[in-house]
Amino acid sequence: MRGEDVVRLRPPANRLNERAVLWWRVRCLLTTAVPVGVLAILGAFIEPARAWLWGPAAVLAAAGLAGTAFLPSWWYRVHRWEVTDEAVYVRTGALWQEWRIGPMSRIQTVDTVRGPLEQAFRLATVTVTTASAKGEIRIQGLDHELAADLAERLTRITRATPGDAT
């Protein structure tokens, strides 16, 4: 193997935008609020089952609030991304960390997505689809302008990169 063919793994250098923490917190709160709200409303209208519904609602609300307070900060500390002329690197996950590396020669499409909450926080997600059975590489929580610039840069680099013959 030639020296220039060796790829050294290292943690990706870039953090997500700080607004991603608040975005994740709102998502966690909404994810918790819906089932808690349903249980609480049902408990209010179904008196014989009130204790059976409000108890789990309280437990779920406490767990959701604890997760909302703790998890987004942790996710922010561990999520990283980087783009070089050779590949896209992404590290995600808190307990089960996943490293994804997409060589430029294997990239098929680059998409930028902004859901309603992402738009409210001026964030975006860049999705890189590669010729891999594992699926797409997603970089969530980027400033929307950085995401647009990154998508443009990836498109330029992949256009200039010869395809992989393997």
Side-chain angles (χ1 to χ4, degrees):
M1 184 180 283
R2 296 185 331 232
E4 64 268 8
D5 290 340
V6 175
V7 175
R8 303 249 186 253
L9 285 181
R10 60 177 173 72
N14 302 314
R15 286 183 178 252
L16 303 178
N17 188 282
E18 297 89 13
R19 292 187 306 271
V21 175
L22 187 55
W23 171 57
W24 282 325
R25 283 205 170 106
V26 170
R27 286 177 50 188
C28 287
L29 284 175
L30 290 174
T31 301
T32 301
V34 170
V36 168
V38 168
L39 290 172
I41 289 169
L42 287 174
F45 288 111
I46 306 171
E47 190 173 334
R50 188 167 287 155
W52 292 100
L53 294 169
W54 283 359
V59 170
L60 186 58
L65 289 174
T68 298
F70 175 69
L71 291 175
S73 298
W74 188 11
W75 294 335
Y76 180 74
R77 284 193 297 272
V78 298
H79 282 63
R80 296 281 186 278
W81 68 276
E82 186 172 353
V83 172
T84 67
D85 288 341
E86 291 80 35
V88 176
Y89 300 84
V90 178
R91 183 182 73 189
T92 60
L95 294 176
W96 287 268
Q97 285 192 352
E98 180 179 29
W99 290 59
R100 299 285 311 275
I101 301 169
M104 290 297 171
S105 62
R106 306 288 286 170
I107 292 177
Q108 295 176 330
T109 62
V110 178
D111 302 302
T112 303
V113 178
R114 297 183 71 208
L117 275 179
E118 284 177 302
Q119 290 179 44
F121 289 100
R122 298 183 335 269
L123 297 172
T125 297
V126 172
T127 304
V128 178
T129 306
T130 64
S132 164
K134 186 70 173 167
E136 59 197 20
I137 297 172
R138 295 169 48 101
I139 308 171
Q140 296 181 328
L142 296 176
D143 177 81
H144 67 100
E145 291 176 353
L146 174 63
D149 291 344
L150 180 60
E152 183 181 322
R153 178 177 173 218
L154 283 168
T155 302
R156 257 193 336 269
I157 293 171
T158 55
R159 195 177 312 135
T161 303
D164 191 355
T166 57

